[in-house]
Amino acid sequence: MHSRKPYQLVSREWKSTDTTFTVNGVEIGKELMLIAGPCAVENEEQIFTISEFLAKQNIKFMRGGAYKPRTSPYSFQGLKTEGLVMMRKAADAHGLAVVSEIMSIDRVSEFNEYVDIFQVGTRNMQNYALLRALSKTNKPVLLKRGMSSTIEEWLLAAEYIVSGGNEKVILCERGIRTFETATRNTLDLSAIPLVKQWSHLPIIVDPSQGTGVRELVAPMSAAAIAAGADGLIIEVHNQPNEALSDGDQSLYLDQLEQLIQRLTKIAAINEKSFDFQSPKINIPT
Ligand code: PEP
Ligand code: MN
């Protein structure tokens, strides 16, 4: 036991330097990463329109749920395998990496075929069988904070993945349950500098699930970057009013474009920056 904390391998005491690894040309943990895309993959037109837009913005990571953990069993549950196939196709056509949520251990080999980063959602942060299974893969895991979990429990969940052999963990603060009902969750931005003290792992923020309110996404994104986050995961939709899930918190495409300009300015005063200056990808028409 090297650390006084219950977690070991993910602790700063174990490893003082920041963990970094490269996905789709972005050195995560060193450069800022921006993941954007719809809450759920809905159809070809939607995912191709969004992926084309993301590539034009020089964004390198696309999110999109194919298996959706919905509070109600009557809500849209996702396109499942068909959604993963569609997203891979759209991502490949535009040079994007795919981030999608996996909910159960029996889908690991399917996801391994289609995604570049496994997303573990808030409801599965303590699905230890899933964490152990993902520890045996060689792709990064985006580990959301459980909505009722302490930072220590979250780091122990990360410890499951790292101790099983996969060091490529990205923590993601997505808001916690409090008495407040005006926002969907309470986005705990103090977790960013605290995690930076306690762990060497990269940490990003999800202001979409974190607030549930479209108008709050841009200010909380700015605050997250200012507080030292290593990136953001943001929901965006070509027609938010028609979205099959989380439309109220999804940005319009032009809002994301404006947000990138704002974030580029804020990031410039931090050590880390977004690489949105490189030439835009040429999309064949
Ligand atoms: C999502 O990203 O759409 C999602 C369901 O996230 P969370 O697990 O944070 O609720
Ligand atoms: Mn969502």
Side-chain angles (χ1 to χ4, degrees), residues 39 63 68 209 235 246 249:
C39 179
R63 62 152 291 149
K68 294 301 301 176
Q209 328 300 322
E235 287 182 346
D246 287 349
Q249 67 193 34

Side-chain angles (χ1 to χ4, degrees), residues 29-273:
K30 185 155 181 262
E31 294 170 78
L32 291 177
M33 86 182 299
L34 180 53
I35 308 169
C39 179
V41 185
E42 298 170 4
N43 55 61
E44 289 236 351
E45 198 208 330
Q46 174 232 24
I47 202 70
F48 273 83
T49 305
I50 295 173
S51 55
E52 184 182 340
F53 170 80
L54 298 180
K56 274 191 189 145
Q57 302 306 313
N58 207 23
I59 290 172
K60 302 291 184 200
F61 303 90
M62 176 161 66
R63 62 152 291 149
Y67 293 83
K68 294 301 301 176
R70 304 305 299 279
T71 303
S72 164
Y74 306 117
S75 303
F76 176 59
Q77 304 285 305
L79 298 180
K80 309 197 166 67
T81 307
E82 197 191 345
L84 288 178
V85 173
M86 231 179 248
M87 191 158 50
R88 184 74 263 166
K89 214 169 115 190
D92 286 345
H94 298 99
L96 302 167
V98 167
V99 182
S100 196
E101 177 171 355
I102 179 161
M103 294 201 289
S104 62
I105 186 169
D106 55 313
R107 295 285 160 185
V108 173
S109 61
E110 180 184 71
F111 270 69
N112 216 7
E113 213 176 306
Y114 297 110
V115 310
D116 300 291
I117 299 179
F118 296 100
Q119 177 178 331
V120 174
T122 193
R123 295 160 185 83
N124 277 301
M125 188 204 84
Q126 290 180 314
N127 181 342
Y128 299 120
L130 181 61
L131 301 180
R132 281 199 193 282
L134 294 176
S135 78
K136 300 303 174 198
T137 70
N138 53 21
K139 288 183 181 173
V141 179
L142 179 68
L143 181 65
K144 297 253 197 138
R145 179 179 180 180
M147 62 180 93
S148 307
S149 297
T150 64
I151 294 173
E152 188 172 290
E153 287 163 341
W154 187 19
L155 291 174
L156 282 165
E159 186 85 10
Y160 268 85
I161 304 169
V162 176
S163 65
N166 186 354
E167 223 211 9
K168 290 180 268 184
V169 177
I170 305 161
L171 299 165
C172 178
E173 167 61 45
R174 50 78 69 202
I176 51 175
R177 271 287 167 93
T178 68
F179 54 81
E180 182 57 73
T181 54
T183 46
R184 184 175 174 182
N185 293 289
T186 296
L187 189 58
D188 179 12
L189 293 183
S190 64
I192 303 163
L194 201 56
V195 162
K196 288 277 167 203
Q197 265 185 39
W198 290 359
S199 176
H200 51 82
L201 294 175
I203 173 171
I204 70 166
V205 170
D206 180 342
S208 308
Q209 328 300 322
T211 64
V213 183
R214 180 180 303 128
E215 289 72 23
L216 302 185
V217 170
M220 295 314 279
S221 298
I225 297 304
D230 295 298
L232 295 161
I233 176 167
I234 294 177
E235 287 182 346
V236 62
H237 199 286
N238 53 326
Q239 291 175 301
N241 296 334
E242 310 286 317
L244 297 181
S245 67
D246 287 349
D248 291 347
Q249 67 193 34
S250 298
L251 296 185
Y252 285 86
L253 298 182
D254 64 327
Q255 289 180 315
L256 182 62
E257 198 171 345
Q258 286 158 23
L259 177 56
I260 289 170
Q261 286 167 19
R262 181 168 168 186
L263 294 177
T264 305
K265 284 185 206 145
I266 294 167
I269 58 171
N270 286 8
E271 275 167 54
K272 291 173 184 169
S273 61

